[in-house]
Amino acid sequence: MTASSPRSRRATIIDVARAASVSRQTVSNAVNTPERVAPDTLARVQSEIERLGYQPSRAAQTLKQERAGAWGIELNSAGVGRLGAVLDTFLVELTAGAAAHGSHVVPFTAPDPLQPIPAYERFVASRVADGFVLTDTRNNDPRPAWLEAHHVPYAAFGRVWDDPSITSWVDVDGAAGIEAAVRHLADQGYERIGYLGWPEGSPVGDDRRSGWTRATVDLGLAHPEWEARTPQVLDAASSAAAGLLDALGPGGALVCASDTLALGAWRVLVARGLEPGRDVGVVGFDDTDIAQALDLSSLHQPLDRVADRVLHVLGARSASRDPAGGLLLPPELVVRSSSKPAGDRTTPKEK
Amino acid sequence: MTASSPRSRRATIIDVARAASVSRQTVSNAVNTPERVAPDTLARVQSEIERLGYQPSRAAQTLKQERAGAWGIELNSAGVGRLGAVLDTFLVELTAGAAAHGSHVVPFTAPDPLQPIPAYERFVASRVADGFVLTDTRNNDPRPAWLEAHHVPYAAFGRVWDDPSITSWVDVDGAAGIEAAVRHLADQGYERIGYLGWPEGSPVGDDRRSGWTRATVDLGLAHPEWEARTPQVLDAASSAAAGLLDALGPGGALVCASDTLALGAWRVLVARGLEPGRDVGVVGFDDTDIAQALDLSSLHQPLDRVADRVLHVLGARSASRDPAGGLLLPPELVVRSSSKPAGDRTTPKEK
């Protein structure tokens, strides 16, 4: 007997959703809150549930009966061995916020971050957590579908990119942030505004980039060739930034998908004897220690509000209410000397 | 009735230890593993236990009967709203290591980091955790004594500075690390090696500083005036570094208590047109993103080993065995361009 044998495999929520031509959420509603489903849809779903012999997961049923008062959160889901500045602050906010709601947070790691499901399965089976907070959502992320199929409550910090019908997430509007950075630089008098971003295909990166496209087109400053793409690695970022800065020339400005990329650009500027904000404008993303240390303007994510809304979505889902998620919060632009007003830019350096 | 009324107050492990002139650990052993205590000591302790009416805490007794399989860890115990680079990596290592031992980690925050005990009390009372991992241990830290008095197992990442008789900790040997940095700089040909540290009174800072004193005396390079102290704030660090660099002159070197202080020195050097490693040697502490980004030599803490040993101490304590703690692990010096060999130092910059 193999796991893929159709005869031995138990029907999942996905099988029911396909057979009834509805979303997983609708199947879930038909099981948990049938009064909220249109009568003909409910009849169709219930008929498929019976035909396929679908049974909501026992683990999820048990969870409903005996609450642990805890939310699991996978650490190291990006496989880099640490949280990093954004998720570090998010975890502290989430921990403090959970306590205020009478619950707590239980971190765990998947031995293989590329195959995370067994770790979630173990946590559900051992009833350590009532549900999960997801971070680092990505394309082909297996976690939301698995959690939906097993009726396990969850909320994501980050959009569920693969399935727009799933709305149990809270995210920061990267495109709006980058757009604000472009408009800020234009307000300072910059006319050649390039974008230093990540390789195509990362949903977070593609979203941030769209803010640059939108704002430069809108402002009549669009030059699609003023773009360079680089992985989130400092030396590669410096190389990419060097070429882009050659194209932009002095008096140009760079909006970057992260503070690491901004640091790559900053290193090139300093090596060339140029000063960020006086000679070339630079804006980063995430407002990390690096941005603060090097006086780089950067976009700050409102992590206290993200944590609060994630807990709200989780609470609603675990009570089988509409999560009211799919919420985008704008980041805040923190202006530092790397994107000085135009008047200051031509002033000779004093110190 | 007030909390300090001697008549109403229940005797604690500290009262028994004082009355019997033994350590708290010995009282704990007399209660939990009497076979391991010398007969005359045991008799004295038992006599005082009876006389004072001492009863091991009920919460701790309950914990022993019904294990949660979880270790609590206070986040934000330094009150800065996030873990920072060192504790971020430590938490990921601790979470992964706990799972390998069949337990997990439950973070929490104290609403007031200066008054943390109520948060520990709540966690013990609600039986969410069997014991605790302490971080950011400090002078007048109320946590170890409270945990000892309540027979709650714990292990600290960081020495219990107030009470050398408590050995349930694992720490990184900051003094040995700074000493290694001084010897490395001396090996590169530097003869004027100053120290940029924190204000006196921080036990971690005083320990690190002692490595500089020890190594410079030992090498015949001692100049006590080549020292500056500054809080862990970038602008203050730059001011302090500026004065110290004036005293040392070109060709000197700076060992710093943290990468933030090293960054402060680095900013002064760059502003003066000097290059770290070519003109002035610089070594930081913690091997953060900043050190990597600016190519600064720095001391790297072995956080995977710290987490492993902390879990070992916790496991021993919760089984009422000798924790075999009080373990100092050496940090590793990561050499980068800011402490180049002497031969390279006089070479003109090529790029």
Side-chain angles (χ1 to χ4, degrees):
Chain A
M1 190 170 84
T2 66
S4 59
S5 158
R7 288 204 308 157
S8 66
R9 193 170 67 85
R10 277 180 56 184
T12 68
I13 195 170
I14 298 173
D15 300 323
V16 176
R18 281 196 190 135
S21 302
V22 297
S23 70
R24 292 190 288 259
Q25 187 61 55
T26 302
V27 179
S28 175
N29 291 345
V31 171
N32 296 302
T33 53
E35 71 281 3
R36 297 185 49 226
V37 180
D40 57 337
T41 309
L42 180 61
R44 197 165 74 242
V45 173
Q46 284 174 335
S47 154
E48 291 300 337
I49 284 174
E50 199 165 337
R51 189 178 68 82
L52 295 166
Y54 167 67
Q55 291 186 301
S57 120
R58 192 155 149 234
Q61 301 277 55
T62 312
L63 273 175
K64 271 175 207 158
Q65 288 150 25
E66 194 171 332
R67 301 283 303 278
W71 310 118
I73 181 167
E74 183 188 354
L75 308 186
N76 194 36
S77 53
V80 293
R82 58 180 185 153
L83 295 162
V86 172
L87 292 181
D88 172 344
T89 302
F90 175 69
L91 180 67
V92 173
E93 295 286 353
L94 191 73
T95 299
H101 289 84
S103 59
H104 51 270
V105 169
V106 184
F108 65 101
T109 58
D112 177 0
L114 294 177
Q115 305 283 347
I117 298 301
Y120 285 79
E121 244 166 350
R122 269 195 299 277
F123 240 46
V124 169
S126 62
R127 282 187 265 154
V128 170
D130 303 318
F132 294 90
V133 175
L134 302 185
T135 64
D136 290 311
T137 53
R138 57 232 178 209
N139 288 333
N140 302 313
D141 191 334
R143 301 172 299 171
W146 187 88
L147 293 162
E148 293 277 346
H150 291 78
H151 292 272
V152 180
Y154 70 95
F157 170 18
R159 276 154 270 191
V160 177
W161 302 93
D162 294 329
D163 188 343
S165 77
I166 299 179
T167 58
S168 46
W169 52 262
V170 179
D171 204 357
V172 171
D173 193 340
I178 294 289
E179 183 168 354
V182 171
R183 292 182 182 278
H184 159 70
L185 287 165
D187 285 347
Q188 308 310 315
Y190 292 99
E191 294 178 351
R192 298 190 305 284
I193 302 173
Y195 184 69
L196 185 61
W198 296 316
E200 201 170 346
S202 124
V204 174
D206 294 351
D207 178 59
R208 291 186 183 177
R209 179 183 175 279
S210 73
W212 171 70
T213 305
R214 198 163 65 200
T216 50
V217 166
D218 199 47
L219 293 165
L221 303 173
H223 281 267
E225 72 278 15
W226 288 338
E227 178 186 16
R229 293 170 179 265
T230 163
Q232 178 79 345
V233 173
L234 194 58
D235 286 342
S238 288
S239 302
L244 183 51
L245 289 165
D246 287 341
L248 287 167
L254 272 185
V255 178
C256 305
S258 73
D259 282 350
T260 297
L261 302 194
L263 171 62
W266 180 93
R267 291 208 309 184
V268 172
L269 293 176
V270 169
R272 292 181 178 180
L274 299 171
E275 190 184 336
R278 187 193 60 186
D279 303 310
V280 173
V282 178
V283 178
F285 204 118
D286 280 345
D287 194 24
T288 62
D289 280 357
I290 288 171
Q292 291 167 38
L294 302 178
D295 217 21
L296 296 175
S297 300
S298 190
L299 288 151
H300 182 88
Q301 302 200 30
L303 299 168
D304 50 347
R305 291 182 60 207
V306 173
D308 180 69
R309 298 319 296 175
V310 160
L311 288 165
H312 182 84
V313 170
L314 262 175
R317 279 190 73 105
S318 67
S320 295
R321 289 202 313 276
D322 190 343
L327 180 67
L328 280 178
L329 298 169
E332 180 201 352
L333 180 64
V334 180
V335 176
R336 298 196 180 89
S337 71
S338 71
S339 61
K340 279 177 192 164
D344 296 6
R345 250 187 8 261
T346 48
T347 307
K349 200 182 173 188
E350 280 171 29
K351 56 176 174 182
Chain B
M1 190 169 86
T2 67
S4 59
S5 158
R7 287 205 307 156
S8 66
R9 192 172 68 89
R10 278 180 55 183
T12 69
I13 194 170
I14 299 173
D15 300 324
V16 177
R18 283 198 188 131
S21 302
V22 297
S23 71
R24 290 191 287 258
Q25 186 62 56
T26 302
V27 179
S28 175
N29 291 345
V31 171
N32 296 302
T33 53
E35 71 281 2
R36 299 186 47 226
V37 181
D40 55 340
T41 308
L42 182 62
R44 195 164 77 245
V45 173
Q46 285 174 336
S47 154
E48 291 299 338
I49 284 174
E50 199 164 340
R51 188 177 70 81
L52 295 166
Y54 167 67
Q55 291 185 301
S57 115
R58 189 154 152 236
Q61 301 276 57
T62 311
L63 274 176
K64 270 176 206 155
Q65 287 151 24
E66 193 172 332
R67 301 283 302 280
W71 309 118
I73 181 167
E74 183 189 355
L75 307 186
N76 195 35
S77 53
V80 292
R82 58 181 186 154
L83 296 161
V86 171
L87 292 181
D88 173 345
T89 303
F90 174 69
L91 180 66
V92 173
E93 296 286 353
L94 191 74
T95 298
H101 290 84
S103 58
H104 51 268
V105 169
V106 183
F108 65 102
T109 58
D112 176 2
L114 294 176
Q115 304 285 347
I117 297 302
Y120 286 80
E121 244 167 349
R122 269 195 299 277
F123 241 45
V124 169
S126 62
R127 282 187 264 155
V128 170
D130 303 319
F132 294 90
V133 175
L134 302 186
T135 64
D136 290 310
T137 55
R138 57 231 177 210
N139 287 334
N140 302 313
D141 191 334
R143 300 171 300 169
W146 187 88
L147 293 163
E148 293 278 346
H150 291 78
H151 293 272
V152 179
Y154 71 96
F157 170 19
R159 277 154 270 190
V160 178
W161 301 94
D162 293 328
D163 187 343
S165 77
I166 299 180
T167 59
S168 47
W169 53 261
V170 180
D171 204 357
V172 171
D173 193 340
I178 294 290
E179 182 167 356
V182 171
R183 291 182 183 278
H184 158 70
L185 288 165
D187 286 346
Q188 309 310 316
Y190 291 98
E191 294 178 352
R192 299 191 304 285
I193 302 173
Y195 184 69
L196 184 61
W198 296 316
E200 201 169 348
S202 127
V204 173
D206 294 351
D207 178 60
R208 292 186 182 177
R209 179 183 175 280
S210 73
W212 170 71
T213 306
R214 197 163 69 200
T216 49
V217 167
D218 199 49
L219 292 165
L221 303 174
H223 281 268
E225 73 278 15
W226 288 339
E227 178 185 15
R229 294 170 178 266
T230 162
Q232 179 79 346
V233 173
L234 193 58
D235 286 341
S238 287
S239 302
L244 184 51
L245 288 165
D246 288 341
L248 287 166
L254 272 187
V255 179
C256 306
S258 72
D259 283 350
T260 297
L261 301 194
L263 171 61
W266 180 93
R267 290 208 310 185
V268 173
L269 293 176
V270 169
R272 293 181 178 181
L274 299 172
E275 191 184 337
R278 187 192 63 186
D279 304 310
V280 173
V282 178
V283 178
F285 206 117
D286 280 344
D287 193 25
T288 60
D289 280 357
I290 288 170
Q292 291 167 38
L294 302 179
D295 218 20
L296 296 175
S297 300
S298 189
L299 288 151
H300 181 88
Q301 303 200 30
L303 299 168
D304 50 346
R305 291 181 61 209
V306 173
D308 181 69
R309 300 317 297 173
V310 160
L311 287 165
H312 183 84
V313 170
L314 262 177
R317 278 190 73 105
S318 65
S320 294
R321 291 201 312 274
D322 191 343
L327 179 67
L328 279 179
L329 297 169
E332 179 202 353
L333 181 63
V334 179
V335 177
R336 299 198 179 89
S337 70
S338 71
S339 61
K340 280 177 190 164
D344 297 4
R345 252 187 4 261
T346 48
T347 307
K349 199 182 175 191
E350 280 171 29
K351 59 176 171 178

